[in-house]
Amino acid sequence: MNIKKVGFSALLALVVVSSMVATPAMAAGGIGWSGDSQAPNPTLNADVTVDEWNGADFSEALQYYDDSGDAASLPASTNASNDNPIALTATDIEFEQRDEFPRKSDEDGDNAASALDADEWTASGAAVSETTTAPGVDALGYDGTAASDSATYSNFSVDDGEKGYVTIAADINSAAGTPTLQLTDGDGDYVEVTLYDATGDASNDTLLANSTGEGMVLQEQVGDLTVQGGGDGTFDSTEEITITGEVDADVSVLDAERTRELQFGERVVENDGELETETITEPHGEYSVANMDGFDEVMSDATIYGVTVDAMFQASDLQDAEDVNAEFTQDNDYPQWDSVGNFDYRLQLPTAFDLSYSNTELVDEPELPGERYKSVEVAEDVGDTDFADIDSWSDVTDSYGSSEVTLDSTVSSGTTYAVSYKVVLTDGEVSAMQNAAGGGAGPMDAGNGGIWDTIISIPGAIVSALLGLLGINKYAGGS
């Protein structure tokens, strides 16, 4: 028996085992987009709205409940060019302490009264009712049709009332004049804020809204408000809350006891050319935040209805290898280039009862000069058809230059789109795409070399040393 042949067989077995153990995990299709990789990365852009976002079950903005009721993640990322990609409305947030004022416990330790309970109010001219500001957010409805209409809540007492913050979050459905919300102490002194004033400044600390709309929030410390009335001129314990005037409002938060402002998230702002993060305490209408981490601690498990995210469903987010195909070959039509990269991607916006989309489009931002894209084709409604079997391609090669290309401006959720590329590349560009995937080529075909090239590369240094010990080289024959 020839010892070289035995050693070579053992070596091949060793190489196979080593490659199985040592090769890192690869991205779908065996290519990656990190580092210097310039692999094509077509993207479905969309504003995706999650009907019910739950902080107890979710940690990222792009999570939702699938049709089985399980927490799921969208194969997407937030738009990196948007500092505040998440939009929501304050009155659509359900959190545990939202309706607990005045925090009076019954014999079981449960909250015995709530300022959002319509039965607790005494109305004069106005109508008070129980309503909602979102499917799961109960609210107090106040509807006054004259300046003299009012409703009063008095089933509470807040000691040192001047230290508390009056906090109100409401949807203003209609209003006229200057309706107010008034806090009164035990001897007749009061402070007030204005719920609506069409001529007022929305940034005014004592004005809730200067227009109708959803999600109006005001928070102001009672001791900073002007004391009025016929008492001793000093505001003491808070004993009553009165809404007066012509306004139709649905109130989701009403509190006069908390000694700090609630935080409704964080946003990134530019200040003297520098980006800074600021806390949002008084949003008006739909507003945007940087992430889902900056909300008040009492909202850590909140359910937020109607979270809209500026999202990017990129080829680089695909996880199923069947949705990505990449092959590198040599092509005599392009002798000046080391390789021709053939890339195929299958993209779609997932469907679910809890998801809806707007502002959808299929785009591509070329990483290479336009003349390097020898062929780009798009197909619509291809389902799970193999790329090779798709016969509905539309050629869009002429659209490619140095700027973003819109491949389809009428994208529909649930429809599968395919994009196919033929791109000329250098060896360095091919290596960057492969290395970004963690090494290896998955379903890719390098287009040259052979088994010896594979052996030498996995892992090259160890195999080369073993070959030398066995007296074998790449061109050795058996004897």
Side-chain angles (χ1 to χ4, degrees):
M1 181 180 292
N2 190 313
I3 191 169
K4 286 188 178 181
K5 291 183 178 179
V6 173
F8 180 61
S9 299
L11 176 61
L12 284 176
L14 173 63
V15 169
V16 171
V17 172
S18 297
S19 67
M20 291 172 64
V21 173
T23 302
M26 295 176 291
I31 57 173
W33 289 263
S34 61
D36 295 327
S37 174
Q38 294 174 299
N41 196 20
T43 301
L44 288 170
N45 288 332
D47 291 335
V48 52
T49 297
V50 180
D51 284 350
E52 183 179 339
W53 192 94
N54 192 316
D57 294 338
F58 306 156
S59 59
E60 301 292 339
L62 289 166
Q63 290 182 274
Y64 68 104
Y65 289 119
D66 63 21
D67 291 348
S68 298
D70 298 324
S73 296
L74 288 167
S77 54
T78 56
N79 187 347
S81 65
N82 188 343
D83 292 329
N84 302 295
I86 305 163
L88 67 154
T89 303
T91 48
D92 294 343
I93 304 175
E94 166 61 31
F95 57 97
E96 185 176 354
Q97 296 186 25
R98 181 186 60 83
D99 58 354
E100 290 187 356
F101 172 75
R103 299 172 181 83
K104 297 174 64 173
S105 297
D106 59 20
E107 59 184 13
D108 297 323
D110 298 325
N111 205 47
S114 171
L116 301 183
D117 185 350
D119 291 340
E120 297 277 350
W121 289 74
T122 301
S124 176
V128 182
S129 62
E130 294 182 3
T131 185
T132 61
T133 51
V137 184
D138 295 331
L140 172 74
Y142 172 92
D143 188 4
T145 57
S148 58
D149 290 347
S150 67
T152 299
Y153 175 67
S154 59
N155 187 14
F156 73 100
S157 178
V158 179
D159 295 336
D160 298 323
E162 75 282 0
K163 296 179 181 179
Y165 277 79
V166 54
T167 299
I168 181 170
D171 296 344
I172 306 297
N173 304 313
S174 64
T178 55
T180 62
L181 182 144
Q182 185 179 104
L183 306 182
T184 306
D185 71 3
D187 62 7
D189 291 312
Y190 69 89
V191 297
E192 69 179 14
V193 296
T194 303
L195 298 179
Y196 174 86
D197 183 353
T199 63
D201 182 354
S203 64
N204 189 314
D205 287 337
T206 62
L207 176 62
L208 175 65
N210 61 2
S211 64
T212 58
E214 298 182 357
M216 308 299 183
V217 178
L218 174 67
Q219 301 192 84
E220 183 67 13
Q221 193 162 29
V222 173
D224 291 336
L225 298 171
T226 300
V227 177
Q228 305 175 62
D232 61 7
T234 301
F235 194 90
D236 300 310
S237 62
T238 306
E239 304 292 336
E240 285 184 353
I241 297 176
T242 301
I243 299 174
T244 302
E246 188 176 347
V247 59
D248 179 356
D250 300 328
V251 181
S252 67
V253 179
L254 182 58
D255 201 327
E257 186 176 14
R258 191 183 301 276
T259 56
R260 62 176 180 82
E261 295 175 295
L262 292 173
Q263 299 178 5
F264 288 88
E266 294 176 341
R267 63 184 162 217
V268 174
V269 297
E270 185 175 343
N271 186 12
D272 294 331
E274 300 290 333
L275 294 180
E276 298 178 349
T277 299
E278 71 174 14
T279 300
I280 302 169
T281 57
E282 293 186 335
H284 291 83
E286 184 179 74
Y287 65 103
S288 297
V289 297
N291 52 56
M292 302 301 288
D293 300 328
F295 291 90
D296 199 279
E297 60 185 2
V298 303
M299 301 180 193
S300 60
D301 292 339
T303 298
I304 306 176
Y305 295 90
V307 174
T308 298
V309 186
D310 182 359
M312 304 170 65
F313 294 77
Q314 300 175 295
S316 54
D317 293 314
L318 294 171
Q319 298 298 315
D320 191 338
E322 294 182 356
D323 292 331
V324 181
N325 181 63
E327 295 179 349
F328 300 114
T329 61
Q330 291 180 333
D331 192 324
N332 291 333
D333 289 339
Y334 309 103
Q336 70 273 38
W337 294 98
D338 299 319
S339 293
V340 173
N342 295 280
F343 305 90
D344 301 300
Y345 306 105
R346 186 181 287 107
L347 299 161
Q348 69 170 329
L349 298 175
T351 58
F353 288 119
D354 270 9
L355 298 177
S356 58
Y357 299 91
S358 61
N359 301 321
T360 58
E361 59 179 355
L362 174 59
V363 301
D364 188 15
E365 188 164 355
E367 291 287 338
L368 298 168
E371 63 270 15
R372 302 273 296 275
Y373 296 85
K374 300 305 179 183
S375 174
V376 184
E377 297 177 311
V378 179
E380 182 177 340
D381 200 18
V382 298
D384 58 0
T385 303
D386 289 342
F387 292 115
D389 295 332
I390 296 174
D391 58 8
S392 57
W393 295 109
S394 296
D395 193 299
V396 294
T397 312
D398 291 343
S399 300
Y400 274 71
S402 58
S403 59
E404 184 178 87
V405 179
T406 300
L407 302 176
D408 195 323
S409 60
T410 58
V411 171
S412 301
S413 61
T415 298
T416 304
Y417 299 82
V419 187
S420 180
Y421 298 83
K422 184 176 184 178
V423 185
V424 291
L425 302 166
T426 66
D427 282 342
E429 290 164 346
V430 173
S431 295
M433 295 174 192
Q434 293 174 319
N435 291 337
M444 292 188 296
D445 177 10
N448 52 23
I451 189 169
W452 276 106
D453 288 334
T454 303
I455 293 173
I456 293 299
S457 65
I458 311 175
I462 296 174
V463 173
S464 296
L466 289 173
L467 290 176
L469 289 174
L470 292 172
I472 305 172
N473 60 54
K474 183 175 179 178
Y475 302 102
S479 64

